[in-house]
Structures are given as C-alpha cells and as structure tokens.
Amino acid sequence: MQKIENYINGELISSIKEQYIDNYNPSKGEVYSLIPNSDKDDVDLAVKAGEEAFASWSSTPKVKRAEIMLKIADLIDENHKELAHAEALDNGKPLFLASHVDIPRASSNIRFFATAIMHNANESYHMEEGFNNYTLSQPLGVVGCISPWNLPLYLFTWKIAPAIASGNCVVAKPSEVTPMTAYLFSKLCIEAGLPKGVLNIVHGLGSSAGDAIVSHNKIKAISFTGGTNTGRIIARKCAETFKKMSLELGGKNPNIIFADCDFDNMIKTTLQSSFANQGQICLCGSRIFIEQSIYEKFKTAFLAKLETHTVGNPFDEKTRMGALVSKDHLEKVLSYVELAKEEGGTVIFGGNKLIIEGSENGYYMEPTVIEGLPYNCRTNQEEIFGPVVTLIPFETEEEVLTYANSTPYGLSATVWTENISRAQRIANKLDSGIVWVNCWLVRDLRTPFGGVKQSGLGREGGFRALNFFTEPKNVCMAY
Ligand code: NAD
C-alpha cells in the first residue's frame, strides 16, 4: 500500500516514529494509502528546517522567488490529469470538478501570488518639518498553514502561496482526511527547485501534528481554514504566544430569491450553490429563502432539475455528485436529516444514504431538500456541510434580512433580483463577508475573502494576504 511521506528540509521522509493513519477512498469506502501520523517531534524538525532556510529565502530577490513559484504552477498544469484523478480518489468529488475547479485553481493561486509580489509597494510619508517615513514590509519568519478536506489542494496552495511569496518559510498541514494531493505537490516543489526548508509539509492529525504547529513558540503566525470549533481552539492557543492569525471558518449561507429574478439562471445556479462538491463548500447556500409569490414555482422547477442530478462514482462522466468525504461525515449529515424531521420539517427530495452499484461501501447520499422549518430551528442555524438545503418562504425584505442574519455565521450570501436598488440595499445589510448578486462562487483573487461573526477573523485574497504574512516596520529619518 502506498505510503505518503512528510516533506521536510527538501526531502520526502517518514514520520520519526514511523506510525501511520489509514487513508480512505470515500467512493469505495476502502483504505487505499497510509499517512504519517506525525507529532511534535516531526513539527520541531520542520520548524528547524524553516528557520535555517529563512535568512536565505527572505533575502532572495522577489523576481527569483516568483520564478521558482511560476515553475511550480507550470508543473501543476503539466500534471493536471494525475492531480485531478488523485483529488477525486482521495476526496470523493466528481473528477470533472477536480479537473475544472480544484487543480486549475491551485496553479492560479501560485501564479497569482508569484506575480503579486512584483506589484506590491510600500507606504512613505513625508513630514514638512524635516522628517521622512517609509514602511518596510518584512516577512515574519516561519509560519503555519493548516487546511481542510473539502478543497484540498485549492485551499492548501491558497495559504502557502502568499506565505512563501512574501519571503516566509512554511510548516503546512493538509487535512488528514485528504492528504494525497499535498503529497504530490511536495514532489512538484522538489522538481521545481524550491530551496530546502522553504516549505515543509507535515502530515497527521489535527490534535497532534496540527496542535504542535499552533503551539510552537517559533511559529509566528497561523493561517487556518476549517471548522468554527477548531478555529476557537486555535485562537485560544495563538493567544498564549500572541501569534498573528487568520481564521477562515464555517458558514450557513443564505440564498435569497426574489420573484423578479432571472428565473432560469437562478435555478441553474442554485442547483450548483446547493450541491456542488456534495454541498461541502463553505460558500454553499444551504438556506434558500424564496419570495412567497414564486415559492411553488421554484419548488417544482428545482425538484425537476434535481431529478437529472446524477449521484455516482466520481470517475463516471455523468456524475454530478460523488461521495461524501468520510463515513463519519456521512453519518453526521444524515443525522441532520433526522433532526430536521424531529423539528417538524418535511423531506421533499432525497434524505437517504445511497448504494451505488459497484461501489456498495462508498459514502453516497441523495441530494436532499427540506421544507416546513422555522428559520431559527437548529437545522437552519447549524452548519451541516453536506448536500442538504432547506426552503423557507418570505414576504418582505425586512423579514428575509432577519432570517438571513439570524445565524452565528456570516461567510457568504447570494441575492437574486433584477432590481438593482434592492440588490444594493440587501447587500449593505447582510451580515456577511461576501455577497454575490445574480451569480455564485465567482472569484477574483484580488478581492477580500473571509467571514464575519463566527465565520472567521481577517481576510485572505490579494494584497491583504501578503500583508498578513508580513510585518510593517516604519522607519522615520530626519534630514
Ligand atoms: P476541521 O476544523 O476539522 O479541520 C481543518 C484542519 O484543521 C485539518 O487539517 C485538521 O487536521 C486541523 N485541526 C483539527 N484540529 C486541530 C487543532 N486542535 N489544532 C490544529 N489543527 C487542527 O475542518 P474540516 O472538517 O477539515 O473542514 C470543514 C470545515 O471547514 C467546515 O466547517 C467548513 O465550513 C470550513 N471551511 C471554511 C472555509 C472558509 O474559507 N471559510 C473553506 C473551506 C472549509
């Protein structure tokens, strides 16, 4: 069985204790590889490698850093097929999604930050009375990047790219649930000639390897994407050593549909925003609010579209929804369907585990639509993170804003209306870091990305990410 290795000080090595964790193929429900069960000692080794590489990497000219990163991006593109296949196998997502979204975005992330550093400028303030100020943006040192399982290589590179572009060395940990593409990525970094110690990838559990990264007193900042509860634990730990932190956490996003919307476009996109990646995207719109006058029309059209939304093996071309990422996660999502029923909801589509011929042990479930629940019940307040949406009718803008803003989360929101004044009124009032009007998941990498309330702290994207990974130092000079 294939053994994944850590990438430390430029080499692929096993964990010091040589212990392993099973890695599952969710579409078959079978163990297909082994992951190093790294701990504090492995993280210490990775931090040491990062510290040793820092002086040289941070003083490497930006254009040279960019050159190496662009080579990594090119290698991702050249190995697109293998990476997309590995992502689908490791995560359970449809191959077409990995091919069209995950892997292209991974190379875009690297390319974007490799070139961004060449356009970054520093501030300067001239004081008339004979003093001049200029600001240096200096890399922090060794930083930690921890990512989740839903968009494995996509989110892993989204963190690593701005960190190394701005001259830091990195100790990174992908999710133990989906480690494979991070491992393949480490091979590409070696091939591209990334100097040893600049990026160190330590595989293992959150509670051991992840905790060791967050607690390490030589690590200066943590960039984390994952669940809100994990974010809370990490924030407490970071407080002990006053680490900088960027937290991208959970969501329970509203999808608000007004009667005057472009109906066909809305239905097509709502199918995506509900069930893409099996509903396992932090930006999915799991609460669908529909203006009362089109509620029945919406329901009929949405359910009809769902009939053609094929669930199946990720490698089948017809598949639009693959397997959920793990047995535990499938059970968690199904338990929310039971909760919805207990809370008085009616399942009007799906709701069940699915057995797929030839992949009987895979973690499949039907896309699920529930109605008849109040906006403030647990089903409508807690993050489910699976292919489950609820339908809730509304009458007025004021009412739907109350519903939409009622959760502890505030990551993204979608609004469907052809009335531009209303679109702007609503966008202004939503408690949300990102608002899409008449579209979903359209991303310009320069824009701020992140959530309000318990969806996170700080913003990623564009120069904001470079600012996070640098410390401004003001120099004041008399003349
Ligand atoms: P998770 O919080 O369980 O794990 C995320 C990462 O943190 C993993 O690598 C895990 O090993 C590590 N980890 C766990 N405990 C840790 C600890 N105590 N110390 C350090 N590291 C630890 O999240 P998940 O289940 O992998 O991902 C799903 C969650 O991620 C959902 O809540 C989803 O909304 C969220 N998410 C948010 C965004 C965003 O941009 N806001 C994007 C994708 C996913």
Side-chain angles (χ1 to χ4, degrees):
M1 191 166 301
Q2 185 182 11
K3 281 184 180 163
I4 285 174
E5 293 172 300
N6 287 335
Y7 169 50
I8 298 179
N9 206 23
E11 286 178 11
L12 296 172
I13 53 172
S14 61
S15 65
I16 294 170
K17 298 202 175 62
E18 293 196 44
Q19 288 172 349
Y20 291 90
I21 314 162
D22 290 339
N23 185 28
Y24 282 81
N25 162 4
S27 67
K28 296 273 186 195
E30 288 168 355
V31 177
Y32 83 106
S33 70
L34 297 172
I35 316 160
N37 188 4
S38 313
D39 63 14
K40 190 180 166 308
D41 295 340
D42 301 289
V43 171
D44 280 346
L45 210 60
V47 174
K48 193 164 164 282
E51 284 197 299
E52 281 167 10
F54 179 66
S56 162
W57 181 246
S58 57
S59 56
T60 298
K62 284 178 183 169
V63 68
K64 179 70 187 157
R65 294 206 294 258
E67 210 174 272
I68 297 170
M69 291 180 69
L70 290 172
K71 176 82 181 134
I72 298 173
D74 288 346
L75 284 171
I76 294 176
D77 291 344
E78 281 166 32
N79 291 276
H80 173 273
K81 223 169 154 186
E82 185 196 357
L83 289 165
H85 188 275
E87 202 71 292
L89 191 71
D90 212 28
N91 173 281
K93 65 178 66 204
L95 179 61
F96 91 89
L97 191 72
S99 302
H100 289 96
V101 178
D102 293 75
I103 306 307
R105 175 60 190 276
S107 57
S108 301
N109 288 338
I110 309 263
R111 228 170 246 127
F112 178 84
F113 286 109
T115 49
I117 46 170
M118 300 202 274
H119 303 272
N120 212 358
N122 290 332
E123 300 152 75
S124 150
Y125 302 94
H126 177 232
M127 297 162 76
E128 289 75 10
E129 60 271 30
F131 297 92
N132 224 339
N133 294 274
Y134 63 91
T135 309
L136 296 171
S137 290
Q138 296 182 316
L140 306 176
V142 183
V143 299
C145 297
I146 301 178
S147 59
W149 49 255
N150 64 328
L151 299 164
L153 193 60
Y154 174 134
L155 289 174
F156 196 58
T157 50
W158 178 236
K159 300 188 163 304
I160 289 167
I164 63 174
S166 44
N168 299 282
C169 294
V170 173
V171 177
K173 195 192 87 60
S175 169
E176 62 275 29
V177 185
T178 52
M180 187 55 85
T181 48
Y183 173 54
L184 299 176
F185 177 70
S186 56
K187 293 185 179 184
L188 301 182
C189 291
I190 295 171
E191 194 180 336
L194 186 69
K196 64 179 188 176
V198 172
L199 171 63
N200 303 278
I201 301 178
V202 181
H203 293 271
L205 301 172
S207 54
S208 49
D211 182 68
I213 294 173
V214 174
S215 311
H216 206 291
N217 60 11
K218 297 278 174 55
I219 289 189
K220 301 288 191 291
I222 295 291
S223 173
F224 169 77
T225 299
T228 293
N229 283 336
T230 314
R232 197 169 281 122
I233 295 169
I234 289 178
R236 282 196 199 108
K237 285 267 161 82
C238 285
E240 282 167 23
T241 43
F242 291 100
K243 284 187 178 60
K244 261 181 127 173
M245 57 183 163
S246 161
L247 303 176
E248 300 296 339
L249 310 176
K252 185 75 177 174
N253 310 308
N255 178 6
I256 303 172
I257 298 165
F258 286 95
D260 67 356
C261 69
D262 171 348
F263 192 81
D264 292 345
N265 186 18
M266 176 278 294
I267 286 283
K268 193 165 69 125
T269 310
T270 294
L271 197 72
Q272 296 307 317
S273 65
S274 304
F275 300 115
N277 206 35
Q278 299 70 249
Q280 302 166 142
I281 300 182
C282 52
L283 306 163
C284 279
S286 53
R287 297 177 295 149
I288 308 182
F289 299 108
I290 307 129
E291 194 167 357
Q292 182 72 64
S293 60
I294 60 158
Y295 186 83
E296 289 305 322
K297 180 182 171 193
F298 172 87
K299 201 164 100 176
T300 308
F302 191 56
L303 298 194
K305 266 259 185 248
L306 261 184
E307 293 290 351
T308 63
H309 205 65
T310 322
V311 183
N313 190 293
F315 299 99
D316 188 331
E317 267 179 29
K318 289 196 298 293
T319 293
R320 287 298 163 264
M321 246 177 69
L324 272 68
V325 78
S326 69
K327 185 164 180 284
D328 284 354
H329 191 59
L330 172 65
E331 280 165 7
K332 177 194 150 188
V333 175
L334 288 169
S335 79
Y336 270 100
V337 178
E338 290 313 305
L339 174 70
K341 289 182 202 159
E342 282 163 27
E343 290 186 315
T346 307
V347 177
I348 54 171
F349 196 97
N352 303 301
K353 181 175 172 7
L354 263 181
I355 305 290
I356 301 291
E357 209 186 319
S359 303
E360 285 76 5
N361 296 324
Y363 313 132
Y364 299 92
M365 82 173 270
E366 297 167 312
T368 299
V369 184
I370 299 167
E371 69 172 358
L373 287 169
Y375 75 93
N376 54 359
C377 67
R378 277 185 58 202
T379 308
N380 277 326
Q381 293 288 310
E382 297 176 15
E383 185 185 45
I384 301 174
F385 212 55
V388 178
V389 293
T390 57
L391 309 187
I392 304 163
F394 69 88
E395 300 271 2
T396 65
E397 281 180 29
E398 203 181 25
E399 181 189 6
V400 79
L401 276 166
T402 305
Y403 295 172
N405 289 339
S406 65
T407 75
Y409 298 103
L411 188 53
S412 73
T414 308
V415 183
W416 291 93
T417 178
E418 291 293 294
N419 178 333
I420 53 167
S421 301
R422 168 153 60 201
Q424 291 176 73
R425 263 197 315 273
I426 300 273
N428 284 348
K429 290 182 183 163
L430 281 165
D431 294 341
S432 182
I434 300 149
V435 179
W436 279 293
V437 178
N438 298 332
C439 59
W440 177 72
L441 209 64
V442 178
R443 287 279 300 127
D444 178 327
L445 303 188
R446 295 168 299 181
T447 60
F449 180 90
V452 301
K453 300 197 280 188
Q454 294 185 25
S455 285
L457 267 186
R459 292 290 181 275
E460 296 182 325
F463 293 126
R464 283 180 173 80
L466 296 178
N467 290 343
F468 173 74
F469 286 113
T470 50
E471 199 73 81
K473 179 191 285 175
N474 191 66
V475 181
C476 178
M477 292 174 67
Y479 63 91

